[in-house]
Coordinates of all heavy atoms in Angstrom, one line a residue:
M1 N 103.6 61.9 99.8 CA 104.5 62.4 100.8 C 103.9 62.2 102.2 O 102.8 62.5 102.4 CB 104.8 63.9 100.5 CG 105.8 64.4 101.5 SD 106.4 66.1 101.0 CE 105.4 67.0 102.1
L2 N 104.7 61.6 103.0 CA 104.3 61.3 104.4 C 105.1 62.1 105.4 O 106.3 62.3 105.2 CB 104.4 59.9 104.8 CG 103.6 58.8 104.0 CD1 103.9 57.4 104.5 CD2 102.1 59.1 104.3
T3 N 104.5 62.6 106.4 CA 105.2 63.2 107.5 C 105.7 62.1 108.4 O 105.3 60.9 108.3 CB 104.3 64.2 108.3 OG1 103.3 63.4 109.0 CG2 103.7 65.2 107.4
A4 N 106.6 62.5 109.4 CA 107.1 61.5 110.3 C 106.0 60.8 111.0 O 106.0 59.6 111.2 CB 108.1 62.1 111.3
G5 N 105.0 61.6 111.5 CA 103.8 61.0 112.2 C 103.0 60.0 111.3 O 102.6 58.9 111.8
Q6 N 102.8 60.4 110.1 CA 102.0 59.5 109.2 C 102.8 58.2 108.9 O 102.3 57.1 108.9 CB 101.7 60.2 107.9 CG 100.7 61.3 108.0 CD 100.6 62.2 106.8 OE1 101.6 62.6 106.2 NE2 99.4 62.5 106.4
L7 N 104.1 58.4 108.7 CA 105.0 57.2 108.4 C 104.9 56.3 109.6 O 104.8 55.0 109.5 CB 106.4 57.6 108.1 CG 107.4 56.5 108.0 CD1 107.1 55.6 106.8 CD2 108.8 57.1 107.8
S8 N 105.1 56.8 110.8 CA 105.0 56.0 112.0 C 103.7 55.3 112.2 O 103.7 54.1 112.5 CB 105.2 56.9 113.3 OG 105.3 56.2 114.4
T9 N 102.6 55.9 111.9 CA 101.3 55.3 112.0 C 101.2 54.1 111.0 O 100.8 53.0 111.4 CB 100.2 56.3 111.7 OG1 100.2 57.3 112.7 CG2 98.8 55.6 111.7
V10 N 101.6 54.3 109.8 CA 101.5 53.3 108.7 C 102.4 52.1 109.1 O 102.0 50.9 109.1 CB 101.9 53.8 107.4 CG1 102.1 52.7 106.4 CG2 100.9 54.8 106.9
V11 N 103.6 52.3 109.5 CA 104.6 51.2 109.9 C 104.0 50.5 111.1 O 104.1 49.3 111.2 CB 106.0 51.7 110.0 CG1 106.9 50.6 110.6 CG2 106.5 52.2 108.7
N12 N 103.6 51.2 112.1 CA 103.0 50.6 113.3 C 101.8 49.7 113.0 O 101.7 48.6 113.5 CB 102.6 51.6 114.4 CG 103.8 52.2 115.1 OD1 104.8 51.5 115.3 ND2 103.8 53.4 115.4
E13 N 101.0 50.1 112.0 CA 99.9 49.3 111.6 C 100.4 48.0 110.9 O 99.8 46.9 111.1 CB 99.0 50.1 110.6 CG 98.1 51.1 111.3 CD 97.4 52.0 110.3 OE1 97.5 51.8 109.1 OE2 96.7 52.9 110.8
V14 N 101.4 48.1 110.1 CA 102.0 46.9 109.4 C 102.6 46.0 110.4 O 102.5 44.8 110.3 CB 103.0 47.4 108.4 CG1 103.8 46.2 107.8 CG2 102.3 48.1 107.2
L15 N 103.2 46.6 111.5 CA 103.8 45.7 112.5 C 102.8 45.0 113.4 O 103.2 44.1 114.2 CB 104.8 46.6 113.3 CG 106.1 47.0 112.6 CD1 106.9 47.9 113.5 CD2 106.9 45.8 112.3
A16 N 101.5 45.3 113.3 CA 100.5 44.6 114.1 C 100.5 43.1 113.7 O 100.2 42.3 114.6 CB 99.1 45.3 113.9
D17 N 100.8 42.8 112.5 CA 100.9 41.5 112.0 C 102.2 41.4 111.2 O 102.2 41.5 109.9 CB 99.7 41.1 111.1 CG 99.8 39.6 110.7 OD1 100.5 38.8 111.3 OD2 99.1 39.3 109.7
P18 N 103.4 41.4 111.9 CA 104.6 41.7 111.2 C 105.0 40.8 110.1 O 105.0 39.5 110.2 CB 105.7 41.5 112.4 CG 104.9 41.1 113.6 CD 103.5 41.0 113.2
P19 N 105.4 41.4 108.9 CA 105.9 40.6 107.8 C 107.4 40.4 108.1 O 108.0 41.0 109.0 CB 105.7 41.6 106.6 CG 105.8 42.9 107.2 CD 105.2 42.8 108.6
P20 N 108.1 39.6 107.3 CA 109.5 39.4 107.4 C 110.3 40.7 107.1 O 111.4 40.9 107.7 CB 109.9 38.3 106.4 CG 108.6 37.7 106.0 CD 107.5 38.7 106.3
R21 N 109.8 41.5 106.3 CA 110.5 42.7 105.9 C 109.6 43.8 105.5 O 108.6 43.6 104.9 CB 111.4 42.4 104.7 CG 112.2 43.5 104.1 CD 113.1 43.2 103.0 NE 112.4 42.5 102.0 CZ 112.9 41.6 101.1 NH1 114.1 41.3 101.2 NH2 112.1 41.0 100.2
I22 N 110.0 45.0 105.9 CA 109.3 46.2 105.4 C 110.3 47.1 104.7 O 111.4 47.4 105.2 CB 108.7 47.0 106.6 CG1 107.7 46.2 107.4 CG2 108.1 48.4 106.2 CD1 107.3 46.9 108.7
V23 N 109.9 47.5 103.5 CA 110.8 48.3 102.7 C 110.2 49.7 102.5 O 109.1 49.8 102.1 CB 111.0 47.7 101.3 CG1 111.9 48.6 100.4 CG2 111.6 46.3 101.4
L24 N 111.0 50.7 103.0 CA 110.5 52.1 102.8 C 111.3 52.7 101.6 O 112.5 52.8 101.7 CB 110.8 52.9 104.1 CG 110.2 52.4 105.4 CD1 110.6 53.3 106.6 CD2 108.7 52.4 105.3
D25 N 110.5 53.1 100.6 CA 111.1 53.7 99.4 C 111.2 55.2 99.7 O 110.2 55.9 99.8 CB 110.2 53.5 98.2 CG 110.8 54.0 96.9 OD1 111.7 54.8 97.0 OD2 110.4 53.6 95.9
L26 N 112.4 55.7 99.9 CA 112.7 57.1 100.2 C 113.1 57.9 99.0 O 113.7 59.0 99.2 CB 113.7 57.2 101.4 CG 113.3 56.4 102.6 CD1 114.4 56.5 103.7 CD2 112.0 56.9 103.2
G27 N 112.8 57.4 97.8 CA 113.3 58.1 96.6 C 112.8 59.5 96.5 O 113.5 60.3 95.9
G28 N 111.7 59.9 97.0 CA 111.2 61.2 96.9 C 111.5 62.1 98.0 O 111.1 63.3 98.1
V29 N 112.3 61.7 99.0 CA 112.6 62.5 100.2 C 113.7 63.5 99.8 O 114.8 63.2 99.4 CB 113.1 61.6 101.3 CG1 113.6 62.4 102.5 CG2 112.0 60.6 101.8
T30 N 113.4 64.8 100.0 CA 114.3 65.9 99.7 C 114.6 66.6 101.0 O 115.5 67.5 101.0 CB 113.7 66.8 98.7 OG1 112.5 67.3 99.2 CG2 113.5 66.1 97.3
F31 N 114.0 66.3 102.1 CA 114.2 67.0 103.4 C 113.9 66.0 104.5 O 112.9 65.3 104.4 CB 113.3 68.2 103.5 CG 113.5 68.9 104.8 CD1 114.6 69.7 105.1 CD2 112.6 68.7 105.9 CE1 114.8 70.3 106.3 CE2 112.7 69.3 107.1 CZ 113.8 70.1 107.3
C32 N 114.8 66.0 105.5 CA 114.5 65.2 106.7 C 115.1 65.9 107.9 O 116.3 66.1 107.9 CB 115.1 63.8 106.5 SG 114.7 62.6 107.8
D33 N 114.3 66.2 108.8 CA 114.8 66.9 110.0 C 115.0 65.9 111.2 O 114.9 64.7 110.9 CB 113.8 68.0 110.5 CG 112.4 67.5 110.8 OD1 112.2 66.3 110.9 OD2 111.5 68.3 111.0
S34 N 115.3 66.4 112.4 CA 115.6 65.5 113.5 C 114.4 64.6 113.8 O 114.6 63.5 114.3 CB 116.0 66.3 114.7 OG 115.0 67.2 115.1
Q35 N 113.2 65.1 113.7 CA 112.0 64.3 113.9 C 111.9 63.1 113.0 O 111.6 62.0 113.4 CB 110.7 65.1 113.9 CG 109.5 64.3 114.2 CD 108.2 65.1 114.2 OE1 108.2 66.3 113.8 NE2 107.1 64.5 114.6
G36 N 112.2 63.4 111.7 CA 112.2 62.3 110.7 C 113.3 61.3 111.0 O 113.0 60.1 110.9
L37 N 114.5 61.7 111.3 CA 115.5 60.8 111.7 C 115.2 60.0 112.9 O 115.4 58.8 112.9 CB 116.8 61.6 111.9 CG 117.4 62.3 110.7 CD1 118.6 63.2 111.2 CD2 117.8 61.3 109.6
G38 N 114.7 60.6 113.9 CA 114.3 59.9 115.1 C 113.2 58.9 114.8 O 113.2 57.8 115.4
T39 N 112.3 59.2 113.9 CA 111.2 58.3 113.6 C 111.8 57.1 112.9 O 111.4 55.9 113.2 CB 110.2 59.0 112.7 OG1 109.6 60.1 113.4 CG2 109.1 58.0 112.2
L40 N 112.7 57.3 112.0 CA 113.4 56.1 111.3 C 114.1 55.2 112.3 O 114.0 54.0 112.2 CB 114.3 56.6 110.2 CG 113.7 57.3 109.0 CD1 114.8 57.8 108.1 CD2 112.8 56.3 108.3
V41 N 114.7 55.8 113.3 CA 115.4 55.0 114.3 C 114.4 54.2 115.1 O 114.6 53.0 115.4 CB 116.3 55.9 115.2 CG1 116.9 55.1 116.3 CG2 117.5 56.4 114.3
V42 N 113.4 54.9 115.6 CA 112.4 54.2 116.4 C 111.7 53.1 115.7 O 111.5 52.0 116.2 CB 111.3 55.3 117.0 CG1 110.1 54.6 117.6 CG2 112.0 56.2 118.0
L43 N 111.3 53.4 114.4 CA 110.6 52.3 113.6 C 111.6 51.2 113.4 O 111.1 50.0 113.4 CB 110.1 52.9 112.3 CG 109.0 54.0 112.5 CD1 108.7 54.5 111.1 CD2 107.8 53.3 113.1
S44 N 112.8 51.4 113.2 CA 113.8 50.3 113.0 C 113.9 49.5 114.2 O 113.9 48.2 114.1 CB 115.2 50.9 112.6 OG 116.1 49.9 112.5
R45 N 113.9 50.1 115.4 CA 113.9 49.3 116.6 C 112.7 48.5 116.8 O 112.7 47.4 117.3 CB 114.2 50.3 117.8 CG 115.6 50.8 117.8 CD 115.9 51.7 119.0 NE 117.2 52.2 119.0 CZ 117.6 53.2 119.7 NH1 116.8 53.9 120.5 NH2 118.9 53.6 119.6
K46 N 111.5 49.2 116.6 CA 110.2 48.5 116.7 C 110.2 47.3 115.8 O 109.7 46.2 116.2 CB 109.1 49.4 116.4 CG 108.8 50.4 117.5 CD 107.6 51.2 117.2 CE 107.2 52.1 118.3 NZ 106.0 52.9 118.1
A47 N 110.6 47.5 114.6 CA 110.6 46.3 113.6 C 111.5 45.2 114.1 O 111.2 44.1 114.0 CB 111.1 46.9 112.2
S48 N 112.7 45.6 114.6 CA 113.6 44.6 115.1 C 113.0 43.8 116.3 O 113.1 42.6 116.3 CB 114.9 45.3 115.6 OG 115.8 44.3 116.1
H49 N 112.3 44.5 117.2 CA 111.6 43.8 118.3 C 110.5 42.8 117.8 O 110.2 41.8 118.4 CB 111.1 44.8 119.3 CG 112.1 45.4 120.1 ND1 112.4 46.7 120.1 CD2 113.1 44.8 121.0 CE1 113.4 47.0 121.0 NE2 113.8 45.9 121.5
A50 N 110.0 43.2 116.6 CA 108.9 42.4 116.0 C 109.5 41.3 115.1 O 108.8 40.6 114.4 CB 107.9 43.2 115.3
R51 N 110.8 41.2 115.1 CA 111.6 40.3 114.2 C 111.3 40.5 112.7 O 111.1 39.6 111.9 CB 111.3 38.8 114.6 CG 111.7 38.5 116.0 CD 111.4 37.1 116.4 NE 111.6 36.8 117.8 CZ 112.7 36.2 118.2 NH1 113.6 35.8 117.4 NH2 112.8 36.0 119.5
T52 N 111.2 41.8 112.4 CA 111.0 42.3 111.0 C 112.2 43.1 110.7 O 112.7 43.9 111.5 CB 109.7 43.1 111.0 OG1 108.6 42.3 111.3 CG2 109.5 43.7 109.6
L53 N 112.6 43.0 109.4 CA 113.7 43.8 108.9 C 113.2 45.1 108.3 O 112.3 45.0 107.4 CB 114.5 43.0 107.9 CG 115.8 43.7 107.4 CD1 116.8 44.0 108.5 CD2 116.4 42.8 106.3
L54 N 113.5 46.3 108.8 CA 113.1 47.5 108.1 C 114.3 48.0 107.2 O 115.4 48.2 107.7 CB 112.9 48.6 109.2 CG 112.4 49.9 108.7 CD1 110.9 49.8 108.2 CD2 112.5 51.0 109.7
V55 N 114.0 48.1 105.9 CA 114.9 48.4 104.9 C 114.6 49.7 104.3 O 113.4 50.0 103.9 CB 115.0 47.3 103.8 CG1 116.0 47.7 102.8 CG2 115.3 46.0 104.4
L56 N 115.6 50.6 104.2 CA 115.4 51.9 103.5 C 115.9 51.7 102.1 O 117.1 51.3 101.9 CB 116.1 53.0 104.2 CG 115.9 53.2 105.7 CD1 116.7 54.3 106.3 CD2 114.4 53.3 106.0
S57 N 115.1 52.0 101.1 CA 115.6 51.9 99.7 C 115.5 53.3 99.0 O 114.8 54.2 99.4 CB 114.8 50.9 98.9 OG 113.5 51.3 98.7
N58 N 116.2 53.4 97.9 CA 116.3 54.6 97.1 C 116.6 55.8 97.9 O 116.0 56.9 97.8 CB 115.0 54.8 96.3 CG 114.7 53.7 95.4 OD1 115.6 53.3 94.6 ND2 113.5 53.2 95.3
V59 N 117.5 55.7 98.8 CA 117.9 56.8 99.7 C 118.8 57.7 98.9 O 119.9 57.3 98.4 CB 118.7 56.3 101.0 CG1 119.1 57.5 101.8 CG2 117.8 55.3 101.7
G60 N 118.4 59.0 98.7 CA 119.1 59.9 97.9 C 120.3 60.4 98.6 O 120.6 60.2 99.8
D61 N 121.2 61.1 97.8 CA 122.4 61.7 98.3 C 122.2 62.6 99.5 O 123.0 62.5 100.4 CB 123.2 62.4 97.2 CG 123.7 61.5 96.1 OD1 123.8 60.3 96.4 OD2 123.9 62.0 95.0
F62 N 121.2 63.4 99.5 CA 121.0 64.4 100.6 C 120.8 63.6 101.9 O 121.4 63.9 102.9 CB 119.7 65.2 100.3 CG 119.2 65.9 101.6 CD1 119.8 67.0 102.1 CD2 118.1 65.3 102.2 CE1 119.3 67.5 103.3 CE2 117.6 65.9 103.4 CZ 118.2 67.0 103.9
L63 N 119.9 62.6 101.9 CA 119.6 61.9 103.1 C 120.8 61.0 103.5 O 121.1 60.9 104.7 CB 118.3 61.0 102.9 CG 117.8 60.3 104.1 CD1 117.7 61.3 105.3 CD2 116.5 59.6 103.8
L64 N 121.5 60.5 102.5 CA 122.7 59.7 102.9 C 123.7 60.6 103.6 O 124.4 60.2 104.6 CB 123.4 59.1 101.6 CG 122.7 57.9 101.0 CD1 123.3 57.5 99.7 CD2 122.7 56.7 102.0
R65 N 123.9 61.8 103.1 CA 124.8 62.8 103.8 C 124.3 63.1 105.2 O 125.1 63.1 106.2 CB 125.0 64.1 103.0 CG 125.9 63.9 101.8 CD 126.3 65.3 101.2 NE 125.1 66.1 100.8 CZ 124.5 66.0 99.6 NH1 125.0 65.1 98.7 NH2 123.5 66.7 99.3
V66 N 123.0 63.3 105.4 CA 122.5 63.5 106.7 C 122.7 62.3 107.6 O 123.1 62.5 108.8 CB 121.0 63.9 106.6 CG1 120.4 63.9 108.0 CG2 120.8 65.2 105.9
L67 N 122.5 61.1 107.1 CA 122.7 59.9 107.9 C 124.2 59.7 108.3 O 124.5 59.3 109.4 CB 122.2 58.7 107.2 CG 120.7 58.6 107.0 CD1 120.3 57.5 106.1 CD2 119.9 58.5 108.3
D68 N 125.1 60.1 107.3 CA 126.5 60.0 107.6 C 126.9 61.0 108.7 O 127.6 60.7 109.7 CB 127.3 60.3 106.4 CG 127.4 59.1 105.4 OD1 127.3 58.0 105.9 OD2 127.6 59.4 104.2
I69 N 126.4 62.3 108.6 CA 126.8 63.3 109.5 C 126.3 63.0 110.9 O 127.0 63.2 111.9 CB 126.2 64.7 109.1 CG1 126.9 65.2 107.8 CG2 126.2 65.7 110.2 CD1 126.2 66.3 107.1
T70 N 125.1 62.4 111.0 CA 124.5 62.1 112.3 C 125.0 60.7 112.9 O 124.7 60.4 114.0 CB 123.0 62.0 112.3 OG1 122.6 61.1 111.3 CG2 122.4 63.4 111.9
G71 N 125.7 60.0 112.1 CA 126.2 58.6 112.5 C 125.1 57.6 112.4 O 125.3 56.5 113.0
L72 N 124.0 57.9 111.8 CA 122.9 56.9 111.8 C 122.9 56.0 110.6 O 122.2 55.0 110.6 CB 121.5 57.7 111.8 CG 121.2 58.4 113.0 CD1 119.9 59.2 112.8 CD2 121.1 57.5 114.2
R73 N 123.8 56.2 109.7 CA 123.9 55.4 108.5 C 124.2 53.9 108.9 O 123.6 53.0 108.3 CB 124.9 55.9 107.5 CG 124.9 55.1 106.2 CD 125.8 55.8 105.2 NE 125.7 55.2 103.9 CZ 126.2 55.7 102.8 NH1 126.8 56.8 102.8 NH2 126.1 55.0 101.6
S74 N 125.0 53.7 109.8 CA 125.4 52.4 110.2 C 124.3 51.7 111.1 O 124.3 50.5 111.3 CB 126.7 52.4 111.0 OG 126.6 53.1 112.2
A75 N 123.4 52.5 111.6 CA 122.3 52.0 112.5 C 121.1 51.5 111.7 O 120.2 50.9 112.3 CB 121.9 53.0 113.5
L76 N 121.0 51.9 110.4 CA 119.8 51.6 109.6 C 120.2 50.7 108.5 O 121.3 50.8 107.9 CB 119.2 52.9 109.1 CG 118.7 53.9 110.2 CD1 118.4 55.2 109.6 CD2 117.5 53.3 110.9
M77 N 119.3 49.9 108.0 CA 119.6 49.0 106.9 C 119.2 49.8 105.6 O 118.1 50.2 105.4 CB 118.7 47.7 107.0 CG 118.8 46.8 105.8 SD 120.4 46.0 105.6 CE 120.4 45.0 107.1
I78 N 120.2 50.0 104.8 CA 120.0 50.8 103.5 C 120.4 49.9 102.3 O 121.5 49.3 102.3 CB 120.9 52.0 103.5 CG1 120.5 52.9 104.7 CG2 120.7 52.8 102.2 CD1 121.4 54.1 105.0
R79 N 119.5 49.8 101.4 CA 119.7 49.0 100.2 C 119.4 49.9 99.0 O 118.3 50.2 98.7 CB 118.8 47.8 100.1 CG 119.1 46.8 101.1 CD 120.4 46.0 100.7 NE 120.7 45.0 101.7 CZ 121.7 45.1 102.6 NH1 122.5 46.1 102.7 NH2 121.9 44.1 103.4
N80 N 120.5 50.4 98.3 CA 120.3 51.2 97.1 C 120.8 50.5 95.9 O 121.8 50.9 95.3 CB 121.1 52.6 97.3 CG 120.3 53.6 98.1 OD1 119.1 53.4 98.4 ND2 120.9 54.6 98.5
E81 N 120.2 49.4 95.6 CA 120.6 48.6 94.5 C 119.8 49.0 93.2 O 118.6 49.2 93.3 CB 120.4 47.1 94.8 CG 121.2 46.7 96.0 CD 120.9 45.3 96.4 OE1 120.0 44.6 95.8 OE2 121.4 44.8 97.4
T82 N 120.4 49.0 92.1 CA 119.7 49.3 90.9 C 119.4 48.1 90.2 O 120.1 47.1 90.2 CB 120.6 50.2 89.9 OG1 121.8 49.5 89.7 CG2 120.9 51.6 90.6
A83 N 118.2 48.1 89.6 CA 117.8 46.9 88.9 C 118.6 46.6 87.6 O 119.1 47.6 87.0 CB 116.3 47.0 88.5
P84 N 118.8 45.4 87.2 CA 119.7 45.1 86.0 C 119.0 45.5 84.8 O 117.8 45.7 84.7 CB 119.8 43.6 86.1 CG 118.9 43.0 87.1 CD 118.4 44.2 87.9

């Protein structure tokens, strides 16, 4: 489990030598406050500036509802595909 600050540190380190894509597996997230949401938006923008795609995967129903309510769902790349 990472806090928003820890997540930001890890992603910023990865962006030092940017890969084409960063996938954040949010399958275990059961709570996300405004700081967490803000962190996701900032990291998405930083990734975009580094020409990296930040993808959120395994986003649970709780977090999807929060993203819908805040209007952030359309601002973030979400891939919740199940394996065949």
Side-chain angles (χ1 to χ4, degrees):
M1 183 168 101
L2 294 177
T3 65
Q6 291 170 315
L7 176 63
S8 185
T9 298
V10 170
V11 172
N12 284 324
E13 288 173 0
V14 171
L15 287 174
D17 185 19
R21 177 177 56 208
I22 298 172
V23 179
L24 300 179
D25 184 342
L26 302 179
V29 174
T30 58
F31 176 79
C32 187
D33 61 10
S34 60
Q35 184 178 6
L37 294 173
T39 298
L40 291 174
V41 170
V42 167
L43 293 176
S44 179
R45 288 182 182 162
K46 284 183 175 182
S48 179
H49 285 119
R51 298 179 188 258
T52 296
L53 183 62
L54 182 74
V55 180
L56 309 181
S57 72
N58 297 317
V59 180
D61 290 339
F62 161 78
L63 188 51
L64 285 174
R65 281 193 301 274
V66 170
L67 294 172
D68 281 336
I69 290 168
T70 59
L72 293 174
R73 188 171 184 169
S74 62
L76 300 168
M77 176 69 65
I78 300 171
R79 292 286 182 253
N80 278 349
E81 299 171 4
T82 55

